[in-house]
Amino acid sequence: MKDQIFRVLGGNEEFIVSSCVSGTLVEQARLLHGDSPTSIRSLGELLTASALMGDLMKGERAVLTLEIEGDGDLKKVIATADSRGNVKGFSANPAAVGGIGKGDLLILKDEGMRTPYNSVTPLSEGGIAETLNAYYNQSVQLPTFFCLGVKVSSEGKVPYSFGYMVQALPFAKQEIANAIMANLQSMPPAAEILEKEMAPQQILSLLLEGIDGKATSQKDIFFRCSCSHEKGLALLQGLSGKEKDEILAAGKPIEITCGFCGKKYVYPFDELKKVFEKRP
């Protein structure tokens, strides 16, 4: 099944209803990082949530970052998405057998404004979806409901994952809100959606049963990293003067590995020397 997001405006354009499947990109992440079932479930849910939220951002260069950090075995999980359907992420401990524990969810949005938006929400015992619900309902004050799921086979592979989001806009009428709430309450549980491997269109049809909807977006989503030799060099240029002096004194090349995709970049000493000696 192709990884895609479908977005619909429900009622009299009073609700945003989005649904996606993301099994291919989550499995790609697992293959890149060698995630355990525990790790890939959390990473897969965060990747899917970032794709759903990134789809709502405006601007070609808009980027969203979701980061959960806790005191459990999983330690930290990061996912980023842009408005064009590109998603990437990794777990700090891909071999984890225990969960994230108690901690926080950091949400960072950079939509090209002078100061990026950021917010911190305590992790809910109900997981990532419940934490995002709390963030939207309390911090953003937009009634929102997320459901996320990752299917892991007995071999540890990810054949399917999904997510959906329902969000009330500020002018939503109570009549439509009641109808959508009734549909949410009658939705099959995440375990059943995973078992049936439902397509995003099937999920949308259940969410919007008896409610008019206007399709606004259909987008392919991918695990795609934007790292490059130039970005790695910019990272090295941002080191302190002391760190640069230590590198120059060592007289050796530097290798950087991208945490998102595992690609390695080697910077010969001559290149480093040329760049570092240009500092003011």
Side-chain angles (χ1 to χ4, degrees):
M1 190 182 303
K2 195 174 186 180
D3 286 355
Q4 288 185 312
I5 292 178
F6 290 78
R7 177 159 36 101
V8 173
L9 284 174
N12 188 25
E13 301 187 3
E14 300 164 65
F15 275 80
I16 296 172
V17 184
S18 300
S19 177
C20 77
V21 294
S22 52
T24 300
L25 72 87
V26 174
E27 172 63 4
Q28 186 176 353
R30 185 194 71 82
L31 291 171
L32 281 170
H33 304 299
D35 292 274
S36 67
T38 296
S39 176
I40 201 58
R41 285 191 179 97
S42 292
L43 176 57
E45 288 190 7
L46 206 65
L47 288 168
T48 304
S50 70
L52 287 166
M53 294 170 67
D55 181 55
L56 299 178
M57 293 193 303
K58 299 177 181 178
E60 285 292 310
R61 297 185 179 180
V63 177
L64 165 83
T65 300
L66 300 180
E67 178 180 322
I68 56 174
E69 184 171 0
D71 59 7
D73 189 29
L74 197 51
K75 298 179 181 177
K76 181 188 294 186
V77 184
I78 299 174
T80 75
D82 60 26
S83 58
R84 304 183 304 278
N86 300 310
V87 186
K88 61 184 179 181
F90 66 92
S91 297
N93 181 17
V97 294
I100 195 70
K102 295 181 180 180
D104 297 302
L105 166 68
L106 169 67
I107 299 174
L108 177 66
K109 296 180 183 178
D110 186 351
E111 295 186 274
M113 308 298 286
R114 181 171 296 180
T115 303
Y117 166 89
N118 67 81
S119 177
V120 178
T121 301
L123 289 171
S124 166
E125 291 184 2
I128 295 171
E130 290 294 333
T131 303
L132 287 169
N133 294 346
Y135 159 72
Y136 274 104
N137 285 277
Q138 297 169 15
S139 299
V140 184
Q141 296 187 344
L142 285 176
T144 303
F145 182 83
F146 277 84
C147 183
L148 305 164
V150 177
K151 185 175 185 177
V152 181
S153 71
S154 58
E155 295 83 17
K157 299 179 181 180
V158 178
Y160 173 83
S161 64
F162 82 96
Y164 66 79
M165 180 191 78
V166 176
Q167 183 175 87
L169 297 175
F171 50 86
K173 294 183 178 62
Q174 192 61 47
E175 179 184 357
I176 299 298
N178 291 341
I180 286 191
M181 181 59 68
N183 286 349
L184 280 171
Q185 291 175 345
S186 63
M187 285 293 291
E192 184 177 334
I193 295 175
L194 291 173
E195 181 182 356
K196 294 181 177 179
E197 299 189 6
M198 296 174 66
Q201 301 96 317
Q202 292 176 279
I203 296 171
L204 282 176
S205 67
L206 294 174
L207 290 168
L208 291 167
E209 186 173 356
I211 301 170
D212 291 336
K214 176 184 176 183
T216 59
S217 176
Q218 177 181 336
K219 183 183 299 177
D220 295 343
I221 54 176
F222 307 91
F223 189 102
R224 183 176 289 159
C225 190
S226 59
C227 67
S228 67
H229 183 91
E230 291 73 20
K231 288 183 177 180
L233 193 60
L235 181 66
L236 291 169
Q237 286 176 307
L239 295 174
S240 67
K242 180 181 178 181
E243 290 170 317
K244 291 176 180 177
D245 287 339
E246 291 174 351
I247 291 173
L248 291 174
K252 297 179 181 179
I254 293 291
E255 181 178 279
I256 294 179
T257 301
C258 176
F260 289 101
C261 70
K263 189 172 181 179
K264 298 181 185 298
Y265 296 93
V266 178
Y267 299 88
F269 177 71
D270 288 344
E271 182 179 13
L272 296 171
K273 183 178 179 182
K274 182 178 179 181
V275 171
F276 288 173
E277 289 182 348
K278 286 183 178 179
R279 61 183 135 159

Short mmCIF file of all heavy atoms in Angstrom, two decimals, residues 191-226:
data_model
loop_
_atom_site.label_atom_id
_atom_site.label_comp_id
_atom_site.label_asym_id
_atom_site.label_seq_id
_atom_site.Cartn_x
_atom_site.Cartn_y
_atom_site.Cartn_z
N ALA A 191 -5.96 -1.42 17.23
CA ALA A 191 -5.55 -2.82 16.99
C ALA A 191 -6.31 -3.42 15.82
O ALA A 191 -5.75 -4.19 15.02
CB ALA A 191 -5.76 -3.65 18.25
N GLU A 192 -7.58 -3.06 15.68
CA GLU A 192 -8.38 -3.59 14.58
C GLU A 192 -7.97 -2.97 13.25
O GLU A 192 -7.91 -3.65 12.22
CB GLU A 192 -9.86 -3.34 14.85
CG GLU A 192 -10.78 -3.94 13.78
CD GLU A 192 -12.25 -3.75 14.10
OE1 GLU A 192 -12.59 -3.61 15.30
OE2 GLU A 192 -13.07 -3.74 13.16
N ILE A 193 -7.68 -1.66 13.25
CA ILE A 193 -7.21 -1.01 12.03
C ILE A 193 -5.90 -1.62 11.58
O ILE A 193 -5.68 -1.87 10.39
CB ILE A 193 -7.06 0.52 12.26
CG1 ILE A 193 -8.42 1.15 12.55
CG2 ILE A 193 -6.41 1.19 11.05
CD1 ILE A 193 -8.36 2.62 12.92
N LEU A 194 -5.02 -1.91 12.54
CA LEU A 194 -3.74 -2.54 12.21
C LEU A 194 -3.94 -3.94 11.64
O LEU A 194 -3.29 -4.34 10.68
CB LEU A 194 -2.85 -2.61 13.46
CG LEU A 194 -2.31 -1.29 14.00
CD1 LEU A 194 -1.59 -1.51 15.33
CD2 LEU A 194 -1.36 -0.64 13.00
N GLU A 195 -4.84 -4.69 12.25
CA GLU A 195 -5.09 -6.07 11.79
C GLU A 195 -5.63 -6.07 10.36
O GLU A 195 -5.22 -6.88 9.53
CB GLU A 195 -6.07 -6.76 12.73
CG GLU A 195 -6.37 -8.20 12.34
CD GLU A 195 -7.39 -8.85 13.26
OE1 GLU A 195 -7.81 -8.20 14.24
OE2 GLU A 195 -7.78 -9.99 12.98
N LYS A 196 -6.55 -5.16 10.07
CA LYS A 196 -7.18 -5.12 8.75
C LYS A 196 -6.35 -4.36 7.72
O LYS A 196 -6.63 -4.43 6.52
CB LYS A 196 -8.56 -4.47 8.86
CG LYS A 196 -9.56 -5.29 9.66
CD LYS A 196 -10.93 -4.59 9.70
CE LYS A 196 -11.95 -5.43 10.42
NZ LYS A 196 -13.27 -4.75 10.50
N GLU A 197 -5.34 -3.63 8.20
CA GLU A 197 -4.49 -2.80 7.34
C GLU A 197 -5.36 -1.91 6.44
O GLU A 197 -5.28 -1.93 5.21
CB GLU A 197 -3.53 -3.66 6.51
CG GLU A 197 -2.57 -4.47 7.37
CD GLU A 197 -1.47 -5.16 6.58
OE1 GLU A 197 -1.37 -4.93 5.36
OE2 GLU A 197 -0.71 -5.95 7.19
N MET A 198 -6.18 -1.11 7.08
CA MET A 198 -7.14 -0.27 6.37
C MET A 198 -6.44 0.84 5.59
O MET A 198 -5.46 1.42 6.05
CB MET A 198 -8.13 0.33 7.37
CG MET A 198 -8.99 -0.70 8.07
SD MET A 198 -10.05 0.01 9.38
CE MET A 198 -11.13 1.03 8.37
N ALA A 199 -6.95 1.14 4.42
CA ALA A 199 -6.46 2.23 3.59
C ALA A 199 -6.92 3.56 4.19
O ALA A 199 -7.93 3.62 4.89
CB ALA A 199 -6.98 2.10 2.16
N PRO A 200 -6.19 4.64 3.92
CA PRO A 200 -6.60 5.94 4.48
C PRO A 200 -7.99 6.36 4.04
O PRO A 200 -8.72 7.00 4.82
CB PRO A 200 -5.51 6.90 3.97
CG PRO A 200 -4.82 6.20 2.86
CD PRO A 200 -4.93 4.74 3.16
N GLN A 201 -8.39 6.00 2.82
CA GLN A 201 -9.74 6.36 2.36
C GLN A 201 -10.81 5.64 3.19
O GLN A 201 -11.87 6.21 3.45
CB GLN A 201 -9.92 5.99 0.88
CG GLN A 201 -8.92 6.68 -0.06
CD GLN A 201 -7.73 5.81 -0.36
OE1 GLN A 201 -7.17 5.16 0.54
NE2 GLN A 201 -7.33 5.77 -1.63
N GLN A 202 -10.54 4.39 3.59
CA GLN A 202 -11.49 3.66 4.43
C GLN A 202 -11.64 4.33 5.79
O GLN A 202 -12.75 4.46 6.31
CB GLN A 202 -11.01 2.21 4.63
CG GLN A 202 -11.04 1.34 3.40
CD GLN A 202 -10.46 -0.03 3.70
OE1 GLN A 202 -9.25 -0.23 3.72
NE2 GLN A 202 -11.34 -0.99 3.94
N ILE A 203 -10.52 4.74 6.35
CA ILE A 203 -10.55 5.41 7.65
C ILE A 203 -11.33 6.72 7.56
O ILE A 203 -12.17 7.03 8.40
CB ILE A 203 -9.12 5.65 8.16
CG1 ILE A 203 -8.42 4.30 8.41
CG2 ILE A 203 -9.13 6.49 9.44
CD1 ILE A 203 -6.94 4.41 8.71
N LEU A 204 -11.08 7.48 6.50
CA LEU A 204 -11.79 8.75 6.31
C LEU A 204 -13.29 8.54 6.17
O LEU A 204 -14.09 9.31 6.70
CB LEU A 204 -11.26 9.48 5.07
CG LEU A 204 -9.94 10.23 5.21
CD1 LEU A 204 -9.52 10.82 3.86
CD2 LEU A 204 -10.04 11.34 6.25
N SER A 205 -13.68 7.51 5.44
CA SER A 205 -15.11 7.26 5.23
C SER A 205 -15.82 6.97 6.55
O SER A 205 -16.98 7.37 6.74
CB SER A 205 -15.32 6.11 4.24
OG SER A 205 -14.88 4.88 4.79
N LEU A 206 -15.13 6.30 7.48
CA LEU A 206 -15.72 6.04 8.79
C LEU A 206 -15.79 7.31 9.62
O LEU A 206 -16.78 7.57 10.32
CB LEU A 206 -14.92 4.97 9.52
CG LEU A 206 -14.93 3.56 8.91
CD1 LEU A 206 -13.98 2.65 9.68
CD2 LEU A 206 -16.35 2.99 8.93
N LEU A 207 -14.74 8.11 9.57
CA LEU A 207 -14.70 9.35 10.34
C LEU A 207 -15.76 10.35 9.87
O LEU A 207 -16.27 11.14 10.66
CB LEU A 207 -13.31 10.00 10.25
CG LEU A 207 -12.17 9.26 10.96
CD1 LEU A 207 -10.83 9.85 10.54
CD2 LEU A 207 -12.34 9.37 12.48
N LEU A 208 -16.07 10.31 8.57
CA LEU A 208 -16.99 11.29 7.99
C LEU A 208 -18.35 10.70 7.63
O LEU A 208 -19.09 11.29 6.86
CB LEU A 208 -16.36 11.91 6.74
CG LEU A 208 -15.15 12.82 6.99
CD1 LEU A 208 -14.41 13.12 5.70
CD2 LEU A 208 -15.58 14.11 7.67
N GLU A 209 -18.67 9.55 8.20
CA GLU A 209 -19.95 8.93 7.88
C GLU A 209 -21.11 9.86 8.22
O GLU A 209 -21.24 10.36 9.34
CB GLU A 209 -20.10 7.61 8.65
CG GLU A 209 -21.34 6.84 8.25
CD GLU A 209 -21.40 5.47 8.90
OE1 GLU A 209 -20.44 5.10 9.60
OE2 GLU A 209 -22.41 4.78 8.69
N GLY A 210 -21.94 10.15 7.22
CA GLY A 210 -23.08 11.03 7.42
C GLY A 210 -22.76 12.51 7.44
O GLY A 210 -23.61 13.34 7.72
N ILE A 211 -21.49 12.85 7.14
CA ILE A 211 -21.04 14.25 7.18
C ILE A 211 -20.46 14.62 5.82
O ILE A 211 -19.67 13.86 5.25
CB ILE A 211 -19.97 14.46 8.27
CG1 ILE A 211 -20.53 14.07 9.64
CG2 ILE A 211 -19.48 15.91 8.29
CD1 ILE A 211 -19.48 14.02 10.73
N ASP A 212 -20.82 15.77 5.31
CA ASP A 212 -20.26 16.22 4.04
C ASP A 212 -18.77 16.50 4.20
O ASP A 212 -18.32 16.98 5.24
CB ASP A 212 -20.95 17.51 3.57
CG ASP A 212 -22.40 17.25 3.14
OD1 ASP A 212 -22.70 16.11 2.77
OD2 ASP A 212 -23.20 18.20 3.19
N GLY A 213 -18.02 16.20 3.15
CA GLY A 213 -16.59 16.45 3.19
C GLY A 213 -16.07 16.97 1.86
O GLY A 213 -16.57 16.58 0.79
N LYS A 214 -15.09 17.84 1.93
CA LYS A 214 -14.46 18.41 0.73
C LYS A 214 -12.98 18.05 0.74
O LYS A 214 -12.23 18.50 1.61
CB LYS A 214 -14.63 19.93 0.70
CG LYS A 214 -13.94 20.61 -0.45
CD LYS A 214 -14.08 22.12 -0.34
CE LYS A 214 -13.31 22.84 -1.44
NZ LYS A 214 -13.40 24.32 -1.29
N ALA A 215 -12.57 17.20 -0.22
CA ALA A 215 -11.16 16.80 -0.29
C ALA A 215 -10.30 18.01 -0.62
O ALA A 215 -10.59 18.76 -1.56
CB ALA A 215 -10.97 15.72 -1.34
N THR A 216 -9.24 18.23 0.16
CA THR A 216 -8.36 19.38 -0.07
C THR A 216 -6.93 18.99 -0.40
O THR A 216 -6.18 19.80 -0.92
CB THR A 216 -8.34 20.29 1.18
OG1 THR A 216 -7.87 19.54 2.31
CG2 THR A 216 -9.73 20.83 1.47
N SER A 217 -6.53 17.75 -0.07
CA SER A 217 -5.14 17.38 -0.31
C SER A 217 -4.99 15.87 -0.37
O SER A 217 -5.65 15.14 0.37
CB SER A 217 -4.25 17.95 0.80
OG SER A 217 -2.91 17.54 0.65
N GLN A 218 -4.14 15.42 -1.28
CA GLN A 218 -3.70 14.03 -1.34
C GLN A 218 -2.22 14.07 -1.65
O GLN A 218 -1.80 14.64 -2.65
CB GLN A 218 -4.45 13.25 -2.42
CG GLN A 218 -3.97 11.81 -2.57
CD GLN A 218 -4.72 11.07 -3.67
OE1 GLN A 218 -5.84 11.41 -4.02
NE2 GLN A 218 -4.08 10.04 -4.23
N LYS A 219 -1.42 13.48 -0.77
CA LYS A 219 0.03 13.66 -0.89
C LYS A 219 0.77 12.36 -0.58
O LYS A 219 0.43 11.66 0.38
CB LYS A 219 0.46 14.75 0.10
CG LYS A 219 1.92 15.12 0.09
CD LYS A 219 2.19 16.16 1.17
CE LYS A 219 1.40 17.42 0.93
NZ LYS A 219 1.61 18.42 2.02
N ASP A 220 1.75 12.02 -1.40
CA ASP A 220 2.64 10.90 -1.08
C ASP A 220 3.60 11.34 0.01
O ASP A 220 4.03 12.51 0.05
CB ASP A 220 3.44 10.49 -2.32
CG ASP A 220 2.57 9.92 -3.43
OD1 ASP A 220 1.42 9.55 -3.14
OD2 ASP A 220 3.05 9.86 -4.58
N ILE A 221 3.95 10.42 0.92
CA ILE A 221 4.92 10.73 1.96
C ILE A 221 6.07 9.74 1.88
O ILE A 221 5.90 8.58 1.50
CB ILE A 221 4.28 10.73 3.36
CG1 ILE A 221 3.53 9.42 3.64
CG2 ILE A 221 3.34 11.92 3.50
CD1 ILE A 221 2.96 9.34 5.05
N PHE A 222 7.27 10.21 2.23
CA PHE A 222 8.48 9.42 2.06
C PHE A 222 9.41 9.61 3.26
O PHE A 222 9.41 10.67 3.89
CB PHE A 222 9.26 9.87 0.81
CG PHE A 222 8.46 9.91 -0.45
CD1 PHE A 222 7.80 11.07 -0.83
CD2 PHE A 222 8.36 8.80 -1.27
CE1 PHE A 222 7.06 11.14 -2.00
CE2 PHE A 222 7.64 8.85 -2.44
CZ PHE A 222 6.99 10.01 -2.81
N PHE A 223 10.22 8.58 3.54
CA PHE A 223 11.36 8.77 4.44
C PHE A 223 12.48 9.33 3.57
O PHE A 223 13.02 8.63 2.72
CB PHE A 223 11.80 7.45 5.09
CG PHE A 223 12.84 7.65 6.17
CD1 PHE A 223 12.47 7.60 7.50
CD2 PHE A 223 14.16 7.91 5.86
CE1 PHE A 223 13.41 7.80 8.51
CE2 PHE A 223 15.11 8.10 6.85
CZ PHE A 223 14.73 8.05 8.19
N ARG A 224 12.77 10.60 3.76
CA ARG A 224 13.74 11.27 2.89
C ARG A 224 14.55 12.25 3.72
O ARG A 224 14.00 13.13 4.38
CB ARG A 224 13.02 11.98 1.76
CG ARG A 224 13.94 12.65 0.75
CD ARG A 224 13.13 13.24 -0.39
NE ARG A 224 12.57 12.20 -1.24
CZ ARG A 224 11.53 12.39 -2.04
NH1 ARG A 224 10.92 13.56 -2.08
NH2 ARG A 224 11.09 11.40 -2.81
N CYS A 225 15.88 12.09 3.68
CA CYS A 225 16.77 12.94 4.46
C CYS A 225 17.34 14.06 3.58
O CYS A 225 17.62 13.85 2.40
CB CYS A 225 17.91 12.12 5.05
SG CYS A 225 18.91 13.03 6.26
N SER A 226 17.52 15.22 4.18
CA SER A 226 18.03 16.37 3.44
C SER A 226 19.49 16.68 3.77
O SER A 226 19.98 17.78 3.50
CB SER A 226 17.17 17.61 3.77
OG SER A 226 17.20 17.88 5.16
#
